[in-house]
Amino acid sequence: MEVLKNYINGSWVGSKEHGVINVVNPANQEVLAKVPYGAKTSGDAERAVAAASEALKEWRDTPVMKRVQPLYKLKQLLEENIDEIARLITLECGKSFAESKAEIQRGIENVETACATPTLMQSEFSENVATGVDEFMIRQPIGVCACISPFNFPGMIPFWFLPYAIACGNSFVLKPSEKVPLTMMKVFELIDRLDLPKGLVNLVHGGKESVDALLAHQDVKAISFVGSTPIARYIYQQGAANGKRVQAQGGAKNPVIIMPDADIEMTARIIADSVYGCAGQRCLAASNIITVADHNGAIKEALVEAAKSKTTGFGLDEGVEMGPVITPESKKRIEGLIARGVAEGANILLDGRNAEISGYEAGNFIKPTILENVALDGEVIKTEIFGPVMSLLQMDSIDQAIDFVNSNNFGNMACLFTSSGLNARTFRNRANAGNIGINIGVAAPMAQFPFSGWNDSFFGDLHGQGRHAVEFFTQTKIVIERWPKEWSRKF
Ligand code: NAD
């Protein structure tokens, strides 16, 4: 089986690294490809940065209207190839085909938004800040930008950064997750067809060694990272210590409050989609579900029914709503956390462990699981499970529920289900999270808004997507100008 190549300086080139790991279909353990992994991938990353540094020289002065033209073509190519890319996402990542397609659609929306960079990069001008003196601001590119992406959205997350970075006049090096490199291999085949200078956009494989080489390289000026919180914290610390601009999006543990005035049917359906979509492997997956004053247990009952109705299986099969989790280790870790919850005193309302899917017996499947009355000071309530597990809690008032939400170390998302505008207003004002959903289960910001994680879910200042991305990928220069009359030639 051929080892995946890097895309450096406009060509597909073999890695100098001879070590490889398998890229595996999580539904059946079929080996899909081999990807370079080991110490020498750092040399690949350095070659990619060298190509990106060279490409930058002309690109930074290419007019922004010209820089966005290839993005219009990229949108068209992504749309034409959406089924093939989605199929690859399902094969290597596990999610259902519909989820994979929706993911690419979110990526395309970022390409569209980045086409507005000529307007988004416009700046400010003040005439006569003193007599005869004008002051203005220019946004200039920052240089070579690197992106390190996680396994769970291989077709979307690089687009939170890539189109904005190049539209702003930078060059780019992407290091996709070693677990799911095939999706971006396909996307880069499309990028190869664009009219872009060689070396402007590069792709290198590998794990920690490639990342560390990017973090250490003096020509890399900005790092965009998405992944787990411990690695996000490490990237932020290392990047900052090396003088780079860093945006590092981390993990999550998302709480959802259900008020007794919420519509039971709709709420249960939306929350089940949030908890179990992508098998819970979403940084915006609902995890801790707090029912307020559900005295007759009607909401609990509706949630159990909605969870039971989910069809688990191989994502390319008709009717499948939930695929496997990414690796056997991940399955073991999630099942271990379910057991831990039970040991901590939780009652298991729905047990998805030991799931068997006919024809896919080797797959990493866990079916929808619900734990009730999880210990508030236990491990399960605080840990990002990243699997199809709902922890159900009961509280007496919205104040108690909001205090619980705000005790969370993470801050990626918090949601409220209610028919009261006052409850909604109180919640959005007080909840300690960067993305808020009111009667929404997955509060994923559209491309024109920043993906606004807080606390341990984000390290940095400017988030991915939209105007924040344009600010991240440009540096401001202030010019103060005077043209004295006595120095001017008279005509
Ligand atoms: P991960 O942190 O294991 O890996 C992310 C990237 O970091 C990969 O490219 C990997 O190769 C690299 N990496 C791993 N270990 C490293 C190390 N020691 N040093 C340097 N680089 C290293 O994350 P994952 O398992 O791929 O993704 C799941 C995590 O990502 C979850 O925690 C999820 O919540 C989070 N996530 C967050 C967001 C967000 O917007 N906040 C979005 C998607 C996923």
Side-chain angles (χ1 to χ4, degrees):
M1 190 175 274
E2 209 190 343
V3 177
L4 298 184
K5 293 199 161 109
N6 295 312
Y7 184 76
I8 298 176
N9 205 24
S11 302
W12 291 103
V13 288
S15 172
K16 301 283 178 207
E17 169 61 59
H18 295 297
V20 290
I21 55 169
N22 292 334
V23 182
V24 175
N25 180 344
N28 59 9
Q29 313 306 335
E30 180 198 356
V31 176
L32 302 167
K34 293 191 179 291
V35 65
Y37 194 83
K40 287 192 187 147
T41 57
S42 59
D44 300 335
E46 280 156 13
R47 277 180 283 282
V49 175
S53 300
E54 199 52 38
L56 193 63
K57 291 178 186 161
E58 282 195 18
W59 186 252
R60 70 184 299 285
D61 287 326
T62 302
V64 63
M65 290 304 291
K66 282 200 171 162
R67 292 198 304 245
V68 296
Q69 294 310 312
L71 296 179
Y72 289 97
K73 176 85 185 205
L74 179 59
K75 166 183 157 66
Q76 183 199 337
L77 289 173
L78 290 167
E79 283 169 349
E80 285 168 9
N81 290 274
I82 192 165
D83 282 357
E84 193 182 342
I85 303 170
R87 201 176 148 273
L88 280 171
I89 295 177
T90 297
L91 280 180
E92 64 179 354
C93 184
K95 61 184 71 170
S96 75
F97 185 67
E99 289 173 332
S100 298
K101 260 183 113 159
E103 168 179 349
I104 295 290
Q105 186 49 44
R106 284 292 183 127
I108 292 171
E109 286 160 15
N110 275 281
V111 176
E112 290 167 352
T113 305
C115 287
T117 301
T119 305
L120 294 171
M121 263 186 92
Q122 276 181 332
S123 212
E124 295 153 27
F125 192 108
S126 293
E127 193 181 40
N128 283 329
V129 288
T131 306
V133 177
D134 302 329
E135 181 165 349
F136 56 96
M137 189 171 91
I138 309 172
R139 286 197 174 276
Q140 293 194 329
I142 37 180
V144 178
C145 302
C147 168
I148 298 134
S149 54
F151 82 81
N152 64 328
F153 280 96
M156 173 182 75
I157 286 177
F159 288 112
W160 289 352
F161 314 106
L162 188 156
Y164 303 98
I166 62 172
C168 289
N170 304 285
S171 55
F172 201 77
V173 178
L174 171 67
K175 205 296 286 172
S177 165
E178 64 280 11
K179 296 189 178 95
V180 291
L182 296 173
T183 303
M184 276 296 132
M185 293 293 284
K186 177 65 200 170
V187 168
F188 269 66
E189 275 175 41
L190 305 179
I191 287 177
D192 188 49
R193 290 164 58 186
L194 304 178
D195 188 18
L196 288 173
K198 284 185 193 321
L200 189 78
V201 181
N202 306 271
L203 179 153
V204 288
H205 297 293
K208 180 171 171 53
E209 287 85 357
S210 311
V211 175
D212 284 346
L214 294 169
L215 284 171
H217 203 298
Q218 61 174 14
D219 287 351
V220 174
K221 300 299 181 198
I223 302 265
S224 304
F225 173 87
V226 181
S228 59
T229 289
I231 310 297
R233 188 181 273 114
Y234 167 76
I235 301 279
Y236 185 68
Q237 288 170 343
Q238 289 300 306
N242 291 337
K244 301 182 196 317
R245 191 176 279 206
V246 184
Q247 47 183 193
Q249 303 191 196
K253 181 79 182 173
N254 301 308
V256 174
I257 303 174
I258 310 173
M259 297 304 292
D261 58 10
D263 178 284
I264 293 181
E265 284 306 306
M266 187 185 79
T267 301
R269 189 172 41 77
I270 294 175
I271 291 179
D273 285 347
S274 175
V275 177
Y276 303 116
C278 302
Q281 299 172 118
R282 250 192 317 214
C283 69
L284 295 178
S287 179
N288 288 335
I289 312 299
I290 306 120
T291 62
V292 174
D294 182 28
H295 298 306
N296 60 7
I299 291 177
K300 174 167 100 176
E301 207 175 299
L303 285 169
V304 173
E305 286 313 308
K308 273 188 191 160
S309 76
K310 295 277 164 205
T311 310
T312 308
F314 175 43
L316 292 182
D317 285 347
E318 199 64 34
V320 164
E321 295 170 284
M322 200 177 95
V325 298
I326 190 72
T327 56
E329 296 74 40
S330 189
K331 175 176 155 89
K332 197 169 161 207
R333 186 184 59 79
I334 295 163
E335 292 190 336
L337 276 165
I338 297 171
R340 177 75 181 260
V342 174
E344 286 173 353
N347 176 25
I348 189 153
L349 290 179
L350 199 59
D351 191 349
R353 291 173 292 180
N354 307 312
E356 288 216 355
I357 306 295
S358 174
Y360 298 95
E361 286 74 11
N364 314 320
F365 292 100
I366 305 174
K367 287 192 176 175
T369 297
I370 302 184
L371 295 171
E372 184 188 27
N373 297 330
V374 180
L376 286 182
D377 56 352
E379 195 61 31
V380 171
I381 217 80
K382 291 181 282 193
T383 307
E384 180 179 38
I385 299 178
F386 226 53
V389 182
M390 179 190 299
S391 297
L392 202 50
L393 299 162
Q394 286 156 22
M395 295 195 180
D396 296 327
S397 68
I398 189 167
D399 287 332
Q400 192 191 1
I402 293 177
D403 287 348
F404 169 75
V405 166
N406 290 349
S407 66
N408 190 339
N409 285 341
F410 295 103
N412 223 28
M413 179 184 88
C415 301
L416 177 80
F417 285 77
T418 185
S419 57
S420 151
L422 180 60
N423 282 340
R425 191 170 186 279
T426 305
F427 179 75
R428 83 166 133 81
N429 174 264
R430 282 185 53 204
N432 190 6
N435 299 297
I436 299 293
I438 305 290
N439 299 322
I440 296 285
V442 179
M446 300 301 286
Q448 61 270 37
F449 287 96
F451 196 104
S452 207
W454 282 11
N455 310 328
D456 281 0
S457 296
F458 180 71
F459 303 91
D461 306 286
L462 294 164
H463 300 82
Q465 298 199 143
R467 201 177 288 278
H468 269 217
V470 171
E471 287 183 32
F472 183 80
F473 289 117
T474 52
Q475 50 193 343
T476 52
K477 183 180 273 181
I478 301 300
V479 181
I480 306 176
E481 261 184 22
R482 169 188 287 140
W483 297 97
K485 273 194 188 133
E486 49 277 20
W487 295 1
S488 299
R489 290 187 13 224
K490 302 265 183 316
F491 291 100

